[in-house]
Amino acid sequence: MARPVKHSLTLSGHRTSVSLEAEFWRAFREIARIEGRALNALAAEIDAAREPGTGLASAIRLHVLAWYRDRAEPPAA
C-alpha cells in the first residue's frame, strides 16, 4: 500500500495539512471535479460535518468511500 502524501488545504481561511494515500487524493479531486466544486470548498464541507474526534483525513476517506458506494451497482441477490 502506498504511503500517505501530505498536501495543504485552506479551510475557513486557515491552511492545514492533510495526509492521504495518492489513490484517495485522486478520488477526492475527481469528486470535486465531477461536482464542479473547488477542492478546498469540498474539504471545508467535510470538515464542518465530521463527527467530534474524527480526524479530517479519516473524514475525507469516509466521504470518498461513501461517494463511490452511493454510485456503485447494487449487489446481485
Side-chain angles (χ1 to χ4, degrees), residues 9-34:
L9 296 170
T10 302
L11 306 175
S12 302
H14 296 78
R15 298 288 283 173
T16 188
S17 294
V18 177
S19 294
L20 297 171
E21 294 75 14
E23 295 83 359
F24 277 101
W25 278 118
R26 278 192 294 276
F28 188 39
R29 286 186 183 107
E30 181 178 29
I31 292 167
R33 181 186 56 77
I34 289 168

Side-chain angles (χ1 to χ4, degrees), residues 15 47-48 54 61-62:
R15 298 288 283 173
D47 183 47
T54 301
R61 286 185 190 95
L62 290 172

